[in-house]
C-alpha cells in the first residue's frame, strides 16, 4: 500500500506551505503524488526520486572530470581546505534546515571563516533598513484573520510565491475577514503590470527607480501636507485616494519584494517603507513584511543572530569576536577584492547568482559545493558533496518569511549513504579538531590571541 | 562515582533556615548528600567564603523570537561591548547577549536555572532551538495565555475546566512551564492598534475584561495545581499613575488559596513590579508609589513579586505588551520592531537608554530598590531586572550591592542630575536598610525556587537536591568596606558546581555540563469539546497546520519533566 504523509512542509519558497500531502510508494523509494503544492513545489518532490541523483562526493581530477570519492575523503578534503585557508567564505544556506546552519557556524567559528547567506545578495538591503528603523511586522495568520487592506510593492507573488495570496493575504477567509477577497482592498505598486497587478483593486505604475519619491508623497499626505500634481508618475488624486484607504484600514500589511529592495534607493526604500508603516500606526494598525525568497533564508538570519548577534555578513576570522560590516564583510565585495582564498557554496547556487567577476575571483581558489543537486556551482567546483534534500529526505526546523518556525518532515530516506548538511558539518568540525590536535602534537600550533574580556 | 566535599564555607540556605553557619556540603553523583555518605571525596576549600545554592532567575527574556529580534536589529549592541572569546564559543552582545554568552554569564554569576519570561506558543520551536544553544543553565519557558483567543473565549463563558484542558494541551504542545499573562486583553486589542488601559476596560470583540482574564487564569492554575502560579505582567505598564491599576490587579488574587503539591504558597506572581508602581499623572509630576504597592504585597501572602530593577544602562526593551512598545517608540523615537502573533500575542522591541541624567529614569531606579527594601518578606520578593527591559541580567551583582549597601546607593545617587527631585519623588533617601547575605539568598535562590514550585530540586542545599552550588569570595564576618568588591565577588563566583560538576572556577568557565529543558506535563480528563475547538481553530484561523504546531520530540533538548496529574 502506498503511504500518504500529511502536514508536509514544502522546501521551495518563503511561504513555507505546510499542508502538502505526499504519497510514497510501498517500498518507500518513490514519490508518487504530491497534493496541495504549487507547480514548483510539486517538481521538487518528484525530482527527488525521478532524476539521477549524485550519491557520492565528486572530486575534480587534473583532466577536468569528476571522480567519485567517499564521504570520509571528502570531509578530510573540506577540513584541510578550511584549515589551510586564511579567509575562507562559507556562503548560502537558503535551502537547508537550521540544524545545518548551526553546525556550519560551529565549523566557521573553528576555521575563522566568513559566514554569509543569500540575504547578502537579496534582502540584505532590508536588513540594513531594519538595523536603522526597526520592523513593525506580524505573522501571516494575523494578515489572514484581520487585514482588510493589502499592499504589494515591487513583489510578484503570482510567480515567485505562488500560494502566498491564497493562503495568507488576498483570498483566505479569516476570523475577522469572513468574506475573504470581498472584504479586502488590494493595492499593487510596480513599474510592471504583473500577474499580481491583475488581481489588484488599485494598481499604481510607479516610474522605475522612483519608489522612494512615492513613499515620500504617501508620508507627506498622511501627515496632512501638500504634494505636487504628480509624483513618480502617479497623479496626485490617485495618491490621495490610496492614502485615504490606508488611513481608514482596520488592519493593513505592506508586502514588498526585491523590486523594492534592489531598485534605486535599495535600503533607503525599505527605510521609508518602515517609516510609512510607523506613521500609519498613529491612525490605525499597519504592518510590513519582506517577501523572503527561499523557504529557509530567514533561518540563517535567526540562527546566527542568536549565536553571534548578526544576521549575515559575519566575519569570524578575528576568532575572538564576530564582526559584521556589509560592504566590507559581504560575500560579493570580499570576492571582488580577492580576499577570499577558499569558497564553500552551501544549499544555494552562487554559480548562477553571483556576478561573473566575483565567480572568476573565487574560482582561483578551492571551491566546494555542498548541495543535493547538480547546479551551476556544482559544475565548476573542485569538490561537490551531495546531501539529503531538506523537507523531502531530511527533517528540521525552517523559518517562514514572517519568522515563524515551521517543523519540516522527511517523507522518504535519502539515497543510500547520502548524509544531511548537519551531519556533514559536524563531521567536518570533528576533522578540523583532529587536524588541530595533530598539528599541536607536532608543536606547530596555529597561535590564536589570548582573550581578555572587554569589561576588565 | 564522583564525590566532592565543600569544606568550611559560610552556608546560606533559607530553605533549611541555615544562616551563614560554617558547614561542609557533600556531593555525590550530581546530588547533595549527607557528609557521612562520602568515602574518598575531593575537597574544595571554601573557608572564608560564602556558599549558596545555584541562583534561580524567575523572570528573564533570554531565548525566543523577540529576544532574537533585539539581537538582530541592534548590531550596535555588539560594538565595543562584546568580550573576547574565552570559552568554547564566542560571546557577543551586551544588553541582548548571544545564547552562548547568556549561558556563560549566568554560570559565572553562580546561576543555574533561568525561567524564560514569555514564549509565544506558535514560536515554541524557536524557543527550544535557542534553549539548545544556551549552555550550562537549565531553562524553562512560560507560554503566554493572557491574550490567547481560546483562553479569552473559555473565560468569557467561565468555562474553567475547558480552559484548564486547553492550558494543559498548550503546555504540552509548547513544552512550556507555567501560565504567563502579559497585559491581559490589551495585547489582543493591539491587533487593532488599541489597548486595555485598566483591568475593567473590555477587550474589543471578545467582550471580556482584563480582570476576568486574570481571575479566570488564577482559577485555572489552581484547578490544575501547577508548580508555578499565574505569572502576571499587569496592564498599563510604565505609565504615570499606574499604581492604582496594579493594586486593582493584585486585589484579584484575594480569596484564592494555592492548591498544589510543590510547596508553592502564592496564587499570583506579579512580575517587574517596579514598572507598575508609579504615581503622578504626567512625566512632569511622575513619582514613586512603591510604598503603597509593597504595603499591599506585605499584607497579602498569596502574592510574590520580582522587582524589575532599573540598572541605568543602555538596553533593549522587549515585551509581549505590543501597545506599550508602540507607546515607548513615540517617547524616545528610536527604532521599533513589532510582531503580532496570530490568535496568541503581540510583542514589541525598542532600544532604551536609562540615563542618570533623566529624572524619570532615576525615579524608576529608586522605585525598584524601594520595593525590595520596604518588603517585609524577602521569600516573596525577588531580584530581577526583567532582563533586558530594565537592564541586563549581568547587573544582578550591582543590584544586590545596592540592596546590601547604603553607601553604594549613595554613590550612585551622587551621579544623578536631578538628585533632589528624585529624593522628593521617592522615599529612597529615607531608607537605611542594608540586606544581608541570608536575605540575598532568599531573593535569588530559595524564594524564586519556592515560587516556581521547584524547591525540591533547585534553590537549596538539602540532601537529595541537585548539586548546584555557588561559592563566592565573600566573608560574611568580614564584608569588604568597598561595595564594588561585593559586586566583583558576585559577578565572578569563586566556584560553581552544576549537577556536581565543577563548572566555573575563579570566575572562568571550565566546562559545559549538559543543560536541561524543564517543562510541566499535566494530565487532564479527555475533553472532546476542547479537542474540537482546537481542531476548528487550526483549520480556519491558524497559518500552520495543527499537525506541525506541537513541538516535535526531536526538537526538545534534554528534557526534565515535572508531572501533574489532575485525573486522580
Amino acid at each position: 500500500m502506498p503511504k500518504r504523509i500529511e502536514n508536509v512542509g514544502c522546501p521551495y519558497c518563503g511561504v513555507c506551505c505546510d499542508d502538502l500531502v505526499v504519497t510514497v510508494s510501498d517500498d518507500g523509494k518513490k514519490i508518487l503524488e504530491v497534493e496541495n503544492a504549487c507547480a514548483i513545489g510539486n517538481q521538487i518532490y518528484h525530482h527527488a526520486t525521478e532524476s539521477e541523483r549524485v550519491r557520492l562526493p565528486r572530486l575534480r581530477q587534473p583532466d577536468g572530470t569528476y571522480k567519485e570519492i567517499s564521504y570520509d575523503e571528502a570531509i578530510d578534503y573540506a577540513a584541510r581546505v578550511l584549515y589551510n585557508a586564511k579567509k575562507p567564505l562559507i556562503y548560502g544556506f537558503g535551502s537547508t534546515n537550521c540544524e545545518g546552519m548551526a553546525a556550519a557556524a560551529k565549523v566557521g567559528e573553528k576555521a575563522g571563516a566568513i559566514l554569509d547567506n543569500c540575504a547578502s545578495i537579496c534582502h540584505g538591503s532590508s536588513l540594513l533598513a531594519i538595523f536603522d528603523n526597526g520592523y513593525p511586522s506580524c505573522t501571516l495568520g494575523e494578515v489572514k484573520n484581520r487585514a482588510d487592506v493589502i499592499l504589494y510593492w515591487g513583489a510578484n507573488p503570482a510567480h515567485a510565491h505562488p500560494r502566498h495570496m491564497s493562503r495568507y493575504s488576498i483570498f483566505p477567509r479569516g476570523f475577522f475577514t469572513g468574506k475573504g477577497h470581498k472584504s479586502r482592498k488590494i493595492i499593487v505598486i510596480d513599474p510592471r503590470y504583473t500577474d499580481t497587478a491583475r488581481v489588484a483593486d488599485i494598481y499604481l505604475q510607479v516610474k522605475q527607480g522612483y519608489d522612494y519619491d512615492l513613499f515620500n508623497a504617501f508620508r507627506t499626505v498622511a501627515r496632512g501636507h501638500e504634494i505636487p500634481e504628480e509624483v513618480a508618475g502617479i497623479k496626485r488624486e490617485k495618491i490621495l485616494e490610496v492614502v485615504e484607504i490606508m488611513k481608514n484600514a482596520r488592519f493593513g500589511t505592506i508586502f514588498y519584494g526585491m523590486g523594492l529592495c534592489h531598485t534605486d534607493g535599495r535600503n533607503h526604500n525599505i527605510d521609508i517603507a518602515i517609516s510609512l508603516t510607523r506613521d500609519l500606526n498613529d491612525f490605525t494598525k499597519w504592518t510590513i513584511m519582506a517577501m523572503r525568497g527561499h523557504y529557509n533564508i530567514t533561518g540563517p538570519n535567526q540562527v546566527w543572530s542568536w549565536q553571534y548577534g548578526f544576521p549575515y555578513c559575519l566575519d569570524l576570522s578575528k576568532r575572538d569576536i564576530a564582526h559584521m560590516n556589509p560592504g566590507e564583510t559581504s560575500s560579493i565585495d570580499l570576492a571582488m577584492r580577492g580576499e577570499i582564498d577558499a569558497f564553500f557554496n552551501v544549499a544555494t547556487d552562487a554559480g548562477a547568482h553571483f556576478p561573473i567577476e566575483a565567480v572568476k575571483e573565487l574560482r582561483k581558489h578551492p571551491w566546494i559545493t555542498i548541495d543535493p543537486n547538480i547546479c551551476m556551482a556544482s559544475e565548476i567546483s573542485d569538490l561537490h558533496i551531495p546531501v539529503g534534500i531538506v523537507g523531502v529526505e531530511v527533517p528540521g526546523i525552517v523559518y517562514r518569511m514572517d519568522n515563524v518556525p515551521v517543523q519540516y518532515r522527511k517523507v522518504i530516506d535519502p539515497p543510500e549513504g547520502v548524509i544531511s548538511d548537519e551531519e556533514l558539518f559536524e563531521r567536518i568540525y570533528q576533522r578540523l579538531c583532529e587536524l588541530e590536535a595533530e598539528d599541536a602534537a607536532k608543536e606547530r600550533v596555529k597561535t590564536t590571541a589570548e582573550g581578555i574580556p572587554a569589561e576588565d | 562515582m564522583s564525590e566532592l566535599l565543600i569544606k568550611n564555607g559560610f552556608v546560606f540556605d533559607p530553605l533549611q533556615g541555615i544562616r551563614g553557619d560554617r558547614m561542609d556540603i557533600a556531593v555525590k553523583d550530581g546530588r547533595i548528600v549527607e557528609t557521612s555518605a562520602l568515602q574518598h571525596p575531593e575537597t574544595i576549600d571554601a573557608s572564608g567564603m560564602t556558599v549558596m545554592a545555584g541562583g534561580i532567575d524567575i523572570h528573564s527574556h533570554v531565548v525566543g523570537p523577540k529576544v532574537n529580534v533585539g539581537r538582530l536589529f541592534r548590531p550596535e549592541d555588539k560594538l565595543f561591548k562584546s568580550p573576547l572569546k574565552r570559552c568554547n564559543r564566542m560571546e557577543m552582545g551586551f544588553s541582548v547577549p548571544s545564547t552562548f554568552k547568556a549561558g556563560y554569564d549566568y554560570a559565572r554569576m553562580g546561576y543555574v536555572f533561568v525561567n524564560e519570561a514569555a514564549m509565544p506558543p506558535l514560536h515554541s520551536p524557536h524557543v527550544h532551538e535557542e534553549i539548545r544553544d544556551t549552555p550550562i543553565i537549565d531553562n524553562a519557558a512560560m507560554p503566554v495565555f493572557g491574550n490567547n483567543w481560546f483562553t479569552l473565549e473559555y473565560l468569557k463563558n467561565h468555562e474553567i475546566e475547558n480552559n484548564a484542558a486547553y492550558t494543559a494541551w498548550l503546555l504540552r504542545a509548547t513544552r512550556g512551564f507555567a501560565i504567563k499573562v502579559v497585559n491581559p486583553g490589551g495585547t489582543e486589542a493591539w491587533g487593532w492598534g488599541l489597548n486595555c488601559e485598566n483591568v475593567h476596560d473590555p477587550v474589543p470583540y471578545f467582550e471580556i475584561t482584563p480582570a476576568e482574564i486574570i481571575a479566570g487564569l488564577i482559577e485555572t492554575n489552581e484547578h490544575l495545581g501547577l508548580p508555578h502560579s499565574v505569572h502576571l505582567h499587569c496592564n498599563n505598564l510604565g505609565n504615570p499613575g499606574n499604581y492604582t491599576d496594579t493594586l486593582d490587579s493584585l486585589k484579584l488574587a484575594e480569596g484564592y488559596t494555592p492548591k498544589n503539591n510543590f510547596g508553592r504558597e502564592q496564587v499570583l506572581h506579579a512580575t517587574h513590579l517596579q514598572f507598575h508602581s508609579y504615581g503622578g499623572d504626567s512625566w512632569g509630576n511622575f513619582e514613586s508609589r512603591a510604598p503603597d504597592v509593597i504595603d499591599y504585597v506585605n499584607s497579602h501572602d498569596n502574592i510574590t513579586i520580582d522587582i524589575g530593577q532599573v540598572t541605568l544602562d543602555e538596553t533593549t526593551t522587549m515585551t509581549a505588551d505590543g501597545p506599550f512598545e508602540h507607546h515607548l517608540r513615540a517617547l524616545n523615537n528610536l527604532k521599533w520592531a513589532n510582531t503580532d502573533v496570530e490568535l496568541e500575542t503581540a510583542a514589541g522591541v525598542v532600544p532604551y537608554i536609562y540615563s542618570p541624567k533623566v529624572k524619570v529614569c532615576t525615579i524608576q531606579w529608586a522605585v525598584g530598590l524601594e520595593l525590595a527594601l520596604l518588603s517585609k518578606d524577602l521569600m516573596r520578593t525577588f531580584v530581577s531586572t526583567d532582563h533586558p527591559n530594565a537592564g541586563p541580567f549581568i547587573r544582578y551583582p550591582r543590584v544586590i550591592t545596592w540592596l546590601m549597601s547604603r553607601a553604594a546607593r549613595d554613590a550612585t545617587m551622587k551621579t544623578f542630575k536631578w538628585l533632589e527631585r528624585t529624593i522628593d519623588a521617592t522615599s529612597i533617601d529615607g531608607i537605611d536598610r542594608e540586606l544581608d547575605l541570608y536575605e540575598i539568598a532568599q531573593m535569588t535562590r530559595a524564594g524564586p525556587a519556592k515560587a516556581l514550585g521547584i524547591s525540591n530540586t533547585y534553590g537549596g542545599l538539602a540532601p537529595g537536591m541537585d548539586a548546584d552550588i555557588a561559592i563566592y569570595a565573600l566573608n560574611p564576618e568580614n564584608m569588604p568596606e568597598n561595595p564594588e568588591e561585593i559586586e566583583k565577588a558576585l559577578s565572578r563566583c569563586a566556584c560553581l558546581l552544576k549537577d556536581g560538576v565543577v563548572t566555573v572556577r575563579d570566575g572562568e568557565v571550565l566546562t559545559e555540563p549538559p543543560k536541561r529543558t524543564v517543562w510541566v506535563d499535566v494530565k487532564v480528563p479527555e475533553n472532546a469539546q476542547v479537542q474540537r475547538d482546537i481542531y476548528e481553530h487550526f483549520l480556519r484561523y491558524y497559518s500552520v497546520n495543527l499537525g506541525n504546531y506541537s513541538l516535535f520530540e526531536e526538537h526538545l533538548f534534554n528534557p526534565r519533566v515535572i508531572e501533574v496529574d489532575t485525573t486522580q
Side-chain angles (χ1 to χ4, degrees), chain A residues 306, chain B residues 62-64 71 99 114 116 119 124-142 174-175 515-518 555-558:
Chain A
W306 81 60
Chain B
V62 279
V63 289
R71 296 188 189 104
T99 51
V114 177
E116 162 56 39
M119 163 162 66
S124 71
H126 182 166
V127 172
H128 287 280
E129 276 203 285
E130 288 201 23
I131 287 177
R132 176 201 69 203
D133 277 351
T134 307
I136 305 171
I137 53 172
D138 292 355
N139 284 112
M142 297 184 288
T174 61
R175 300 303 193 275
K515 57 91 52 68
R516 298 189 195 82
T517 310
V518 182
H555 302 311
L556 178 63
F557 190 81
N558 202 10

Short mmCIF file of all heavy atoms in Angstrom, two decimals, chain A residues 306, chain B residues 62-64 71 99 114 116 119 124-142 174-175 515-518 555-558:
data_model
loop_
_atom_site.label_atom_id
_atom_site.label_comp_id
_atom_site.label_asym_id
_atom_site.label_seq_id
_atom_site.Cartn_x
_atom_site.Cartn_y
_atom_site.Cartn_z
N TRP A 306 21.07 34.57 17.01
CA TRP A 306 21.14 34.12 18.41
C TRP A 306 22.53 33.60 18.76
O TRP A 306 22.92 33.63 19.92
CB TRP A 306 20.01 33.17 18.77
CG TRP A 306 20.12 31.72 18.40
CD1 TRP A 306 21.08 30.82 18.79
CD2 TRP A 306 19.19 30.98 17.60
NE1 TRP A 306 20.80 29.59 18.26
CE2 TRP A 306 19.65 29.64 17.55
CE3 TRP A 306 17.99 31.30 16.95
CZ2 TRP A 306 18.97 28.65 16.84
CZ3 TRP A 306 17.32 30.32 16.26
CH2 TRP A 306 17.82 29.01 16.20
N VAL B 62 15.60 35.57 27.75
CA VAL B 62 16.91 35.15 27.23
C VAL B 62 16.84 34.34 25.95
O VAL B 62 17.82 34.27 25.21
CB VAL B 62 17.71 34.33 28.27
CG1 VAL B 62 18.38 35.23 29.26
CG2 VAL B 62 16.84 33.30 28.95
N VAL B 63 15.71 33.71 25.70
CA VAL B 63 15.59 32.90 24.48
C VAL B 63 14.25 33.16 23.81
O VAL B 63 13.26 33.40 24.48
CB VAL B 63 15.70 31.38 24.79
CG1 VAL B 63 17.11 31.00 25.19
CG2 VAL B 63 14.72 30.96 25.87
N GLY B 64 14.24 33.10 22.49
CA GLY B 64 12.98 33.19 21.78
C GLY B 64 12.95 34.31 20.76
O GLY B 64 13.89 35.07 20.61
N ARG B 71 18.45 41.07 19.21
CA ARG B 71 19.83 40.82 18.78
C ARG B 71 20.01 41.26 17.33
O ARG B 71 20.97 41.96 17.00
CB ARG B 71 20.16 39.33 18.88
CG ARG B 71 20.13 38.77 20.28
CD ARG B 71 20.68 37.33 20.26
NE ARG B 71 20.48 36.67 21.53
CZ ARG B 71 19.54 35.76 21.76
NH1 ARG B 71 18.71 35.38 20.79
NH2 ARG B 71 19.42 35.21 22.95
N THR B 99 23.10 33.51 22.78
CA THR B 99 22.72 32.40 23.67
C THR B 99 23.93 31.89 24.45
O THR B 99 23.83 31.61 25.63
CB THR B 99 22.12 31.23 22.87
OG1 THR B 99 23.00 30.90 21.81
CG2 THR B 99 20.76 31.60 22.30
N VAL B 114 17.15 29.39 34.73
CA VAL B 114 16.57 30.63 34.24
C VAL B 114 15.23 30.34 33.58
O VAL B 114 15.12 29.49 32.70
CB VAL B 114 17.52 31.33 33.24
CG1 VAL B 114 16.87 32.58 32.68
CG2 VAL B 114 18.83 31.69 33.93
N GLU B 116 12.56 31.51 31.21
CA GLU B 116 12.26 32.44 30.11
C GLU B 116 10.85 33.01 30.33
O GLU B 116 9.89 32.28 30.49
CB GLU B 116 12.37 31.72 28.77
CG GLU B 116 11.69 32.41 27.59
CD GLU B 116 12.14 33.85 27.33
OE1 GLU B 116 13.33 34.13 27.46
OE2 GLU B 116 11.27 34.69 27.01
N MET B 119 7.02 32.99 26.12
CA MET B 119 7.17 32.18 24.91
C MET B 119 5.89 32.29 24.09
O MET B 119 4.83 31.84 24.54
CB MET B 119 7.43 30.72 25.29
CG MET B 119 7.21 29.75 24.14
SD MET B 119 7.99 28.15 24.41
CE MET B 119 7.09 27.48 25.80
N SER B 124 7.22 28.23 19.60
CA SER B 124 7.93 27.39 20.58
C SER B 124 9.12 26.63 19.97
O SER B 124 10.15 26.48 20.64
CB SER B 124 6.97 26.43 21.28
OG SER B 124 6.54 25.42 20.40
N PRO B 125 9.09 26.19 18.70
CA PRO B 125 10.30 25.53 18.19
C PRO B 125 11.51 26.47 18.21
O PRO B 125 12.64 26.02 18.45
CB PRO B 125 9.91 25.16 16.74
CG PRO B 125 8.43 25.06 16.75
CD PRO B 125 7.97 26.12 17.73
N HIS B 126 11.27 27.75 17.95
CA HIS B 126 12.36 28.72 18.01
C HIS B 126 12.93 28.80 19.43
O HIS B 126 14.14 28.75 19.64
CB HIS B 126 11.84 30.09 17.54
CG HIS B 126 12.88 31.17 17.52
ND1 HIS B 126 12.71 32.35 16.88
CD2 HIS B 126 14.11 31.24 18.08
CE1 HIS B 126 13.78 33.11 17.02
NE2 HIS B 126 14.64 32.46 17.76
N VAL B 127 12.03 28.90 20.41
CA VAL B 127 12.47 28.99 21.80
C VAL B 127 13.34 27.78 22.15
O VAL B 127 14.41 27.90 22.75
CB VAL B 127 11.26 29.08 22.75
CG1 VAL B 127 11.69 28.98 24.20
CG2 VAL B 127 10.49 30.38 22.49
N HIS B 128 12.89 26.60 21.72
CA HIS B 128 13.64 25.39 22.09
C HIS B 128 14.96 25.28 21.33
O HIS B 128 15.92 24.71 21.84
CB HIS B 128 12.75 24.16 21.92
CG HIS B 128 11.70 24.07 22.99
ND1 HIS B 128 11.97 23.60 24.24
CD2 HIS B 128 10.41 24.48 23.01
CE1 HIS B 128 10.88 23.69 24.99
NE2 HIS B 128 9.91 24.22 24.26
N GLU B 129 15.00 25.81 20.11
CA GLU B 129 16.30 25.85 19.41
C GLU B 129 17.30 26.70 20.17
O GLU B 129 18.47 26.38 20.28
CB GLU B 129 16.14 26.43 18.00
CG GLU B 129 15.69 25.44 16.96
CD GLU B 129 16.09 25.90 15.57
OE1 GLU B 129 15.45 26.84 15.03
OE2 GLU B 129 17.03 25.32 15.02
N GLU B 130 16.83 27.84 20.68
CA GLU B 130 17.74 28.72 21.42
C GLU B 130 18.12 28.12 22.77
O GLU B 130 19.24 28.28 23.25
CB GLU B 130 17.12 30.11 21.61
CG GLU B 130 17.08 30.92 20.32
CD GLU B 130 16.95 32.41 20.56
OE1 GLU B 130 17.31 32.88 21.66
OE2 GLU B 130 16.46 33.11 19.66
N ILE B 131 17.17 27.41 23.39
CA ILE B 131 17.50 26.74 24.66
C ILE B 131 18.64 25.74 24.43
O ILE B 131 19.58 25.66 25.21
CB ILE B 131 16.24 26.04 25.25
CG1 ILE B 131 15.28 27.09 25.81
CG2 ILE B 131 16.63 25.02 26.31
CD1 ILE B 131 13.97 26.53 26.35
N ARG B 132 18.55 25.01 23.31
CA ARG B 132 19.62 24.04 22.97
C ARG B 132 20.98 24.73 22.91
O ARG B 132 21.99 24.18 23.34
CB ARG B 132 19.29 23.41 21.61
CG ARG B 132 20.36 22.45 21.08
CD ARG B 132 20.23 22.27 19.58
NE ARG B 132 20.58 23.49 18.86
CZ ARG B 132 20.17 23.79 17.64
NH1 ARG B 132 19.37 23.00 16.99
NH2 ARG B 132 20.55 24.93 17.06
N ASP B 133 21.00 25.97 22.39
CA ASP B 133 22.26 26.68 22.21
C ASP B 133 22.64 27.56 23.40
O ASP B 133 23.57 28.36 23.29
CB ASP B 133 22.20 27.53 20.93
CG ASP B 133 22.52 26.73 19.68
OD1 ASP B 133 22.95 25.56 19.83
OD2 ASP B 133 22.36 27.25 18.57
N THR B 134 21.91 27.48 24.51
CA THR B 134 22.27 28.21 25.71
C THR B 134 22.97 27.25 26.66
O THR B 134 22.33 26.38 27.24
CB THR B 134 21.02 28.80 26.39
OG1 THR B 134 20.29 29.56 25.44
CG2 THR B 134 21.40 29.69 27.57
N PRO B 135 24.28 27.34 26.81
CA PRO B 135 24.99 26.31 27.56
C PRO B 135 24.77 26.39 29.07
O PRO B 135 24.41 27.45 29.61
CB PRO B 135 26.46 26.58 27.21
CG PRO B 135 26.52 27.99 26.76
CD PRO B 135 25.16 28.36 26.22
N ILE B 136 25.00 25.30 29.72
CA ILE B 136 25.13 25.13 31.18
C ILE B 136 23.82 25.27 31.94
O ILE B 136 23.42 24.37 32.68
CB ILE B 136 26.18 26.10 31.79
CG1 ILE B 136 27.52 25.92 31.07
CG2 ILE B 136 26.34 25.85 33.29
CD1 ILE B 136 28.58 26.96 31.44
N ILE B 137 23.14 26.41 31.82
CA ILE B 137 21.98 26.65 32.70
C ILE B 137 20.75 25.86 32.26
O ILE B 137 20.54 25.63 31.07
CB ILE B 137 21.63 28.16 32.75
CG1 ILE B 137 21.43 28.73 31.34
CG2 ILE B 137 22.68 28.92 33.51
CD1 ILE B 137 20.91 30.15 31.31
N ASP B 138 19.96 25.44 33.23
CA ASP B 138 18.68 24.81 32.92
C ASP B 138 17.67 25.91 32.59
O ASP B 138 17.67 26.97 33.22
CB ASP B 138 18.18 23.98 34.12
CG ASP B 138 19.07 22.76 34.36
OD1 ASP B 138 19.98 22.53 33.55
OD2 ASP B 138 18.85 22.06 35.36
N ASN B 139 16.82 25.63 31.60
CA ASN B 139 15.82 26.61 31.20
C ASN B 139 14.42 26.04 31.28
O ASN B 139 14.19 24.87 30.99
CB ASN B 139 16.03 27.04 29.74
CG ASN B 139 17.20 28.00 29.56
OD1 ASN B 139 18.20 27.66 28.97
ND2 ASN B 139 17.06 29.20 30.10
N ALA B 140 13.49 26.92 31.67
CA ALA B 140 12.07 26.66 31.46
C ALA B 140 11.54 27.85 30.68
O ALA B 140 12.19 28.89 30.64
CB ALA B 140 11.36 26.53 32.80
N ALA B 141 10.39 27.70 30.03
CA ALA B 141 9.81 28.83 29.29
C ALA B 141 8.30 28.86 29.51
O ALA B 141 7.65 27.81 29.48
CB ALA B 141 10.15 28.72 27.81
N MET B 142 7.79 30.06 29.74
CA MET B 142 6.35 30.19 30.02
C MET B 142 5.60 30.66 28.78
O MET B 142 5.80 31.77 28.31
CB MET B 142 6.13 31.22 31.13
CG MET B 142 6.75 30.83 32.46
SD MET B 142 6.35 32.03 33.75
CE MET B 142 7.36 33.42 33.25
N THR B 174 3.83 23.13 23.61
CA THR B 174 4.99 24.04 23.55
C THR B 174 6.11 23.59 24.47
O THR B 174 7.15 24.22 24.52
CB THR B 174 4.58 25.46 23.99
OG1 THR B 174 4.11 25.41 25.34
CG2 THR B 174 3.48 26.01 23.11
N ARG B 175 5.89 22.51 25.21
CA ARG B 175 6.80 22.08 26.28
C ARG B 175 7.07 23.27 27.19
O ARG B 175 8.21 23.65 27.45
CB ARG B 175 8.11 21.52 25.72
CG ARG B 175 7.94 20.30 24.83
CD ARG B 175 7.21 19.15 25.54
NE ARG B 175 7.31 17.90 24.81
CZ ARG B 175 6.52 17.52 23.82
NH1 ARG B 175 5.52 18.30 23.44
NH2 ARG B 175 6.69 16.35 23.22
N LYS B 515 22.97 20.84 29.89
CA LYS B 515 21.86 21.61 30.47
C LYS B 515 20.54 20.90 30.20
O LYS B 515 20.48 19.94 29.44
CB LYS B 515 21.87 23.01 29.89
CG LYS B 515 21.78 23.10 28.37
CD LYS B 515 20.35 23.21 27.83
CE LYS B 515 19.51 24.27 28.40
NZ LYS B 515 19.83 25.62 28.12
N ARG B 516 19.47 21.39 30.84
CA ARG B 516 18.17 20.74 30.68
C ARG B 516 17.09 21.73 30.27
O ARG B 516 17.20 22.93 30.49
CB ARG B 516 17.71 20.12 32.00
CG ARG B 516 18.56 19.04 32.55
CD ARG B 516 17.83 18.39 33.71
NE ARG B 516 18.76 17.60 34.50
CZ ARG B 516 19.56 18.09 35.43
NH1 ARG B 516 19.53 19.38 35.71
NH2 ARG B 516 20.36 17.30 36.09
N THR B 517 16.03 21.16 29.71
CA THR B 517 14.81 21.92 29.46
C THR B 517 13.76 21.41 30.45
O THR B 517 13.42 20.23 30.43
CB THR B 517 14.30 21.68 28.02
OG1 THR B 517 15.38 21.88 27.12
CG2 THR B 517 13.16 22.62 27.70
N VAL B 518 13.28 22.29 31.31
CA VAL B 518 12.32 21.87 32.33
C VAL B 518 10.92 22.24 31.85
O VAL B 518 10.67 23.39 31.46
CB VAL B 518 12.63 22.57 33.67
CG1 VAL B 518 11.65 22.09 34.74
CG2 VAL B 518 14.07 22.29 34.10
N HIS B 555 12.99 18.08 18.71
CA HIS B 555 13.45 19.45 18.94
C HIS B 555 13.46 19.84 20.41
O HIS B 555 13.75 20.98 20.76
CB HIS B 555 12.58 20.43 18.15
CG HIS B 555 12.58 20.16 16.67
ND1 HIS B 555 13.74 19.98 15.97
CD2 HIS B 555 11.57 20.02 15.79
CE1 HIS B 555 13.44 19.73 14.69
NE2 HIS B 555 12.13 19.74 14.57
N LEU B 556 13.11 18.89 21.28
CA LEU B 556 13.14 19.15 22.72
C LEU B 556 14.49 18.69 23.26
O LEU B 556 14.87 17.52 23.10
CB LEU B 556 12.01 18.37 23.39
CG LEU B 556 11.90 18.47 24.90
CD1 LEU B 556 11.61 19.89 25.33
CD2 LEU B 556 10.81 17.53 25.41
N PHE B 557 15.22 19.61 23.87
CA PHE B 557 16.59 19.30 24.25
C PHE B 557 16.68 18.85 25.70
O PHE B 557 16.33 19.60 26.61
CB PHE B 557 17.48 20.53 24.02
CG PHE B 557 18.94 20.24 24.17
CD1 PHE B 557 19.66 19.66 23.13
CD2 PHE B 557 19.61 20.53 25.35
CE1 PHE B 557 21.01 19.36 23.26
CE2 PHE B 557 20.96 20.24 25.49
CZ PHE B 557 21.66 19.66 24.44
N ASN B 558 17.15 17.65 25.91
CA ASN B 558 17.44 17.12 27.24
C ASN B 558 16.37 17.47 28.28
O ASN B 558 16.63 18.19 29.23
CB ASN B 558 18.81 17.63 27.71
CG ASN B 558 19.40 16.73 28.77
OD1 ASN B 558 18.90 15.64 29.02
ND2 ASN B 558 20.46 17.19 29.40
#
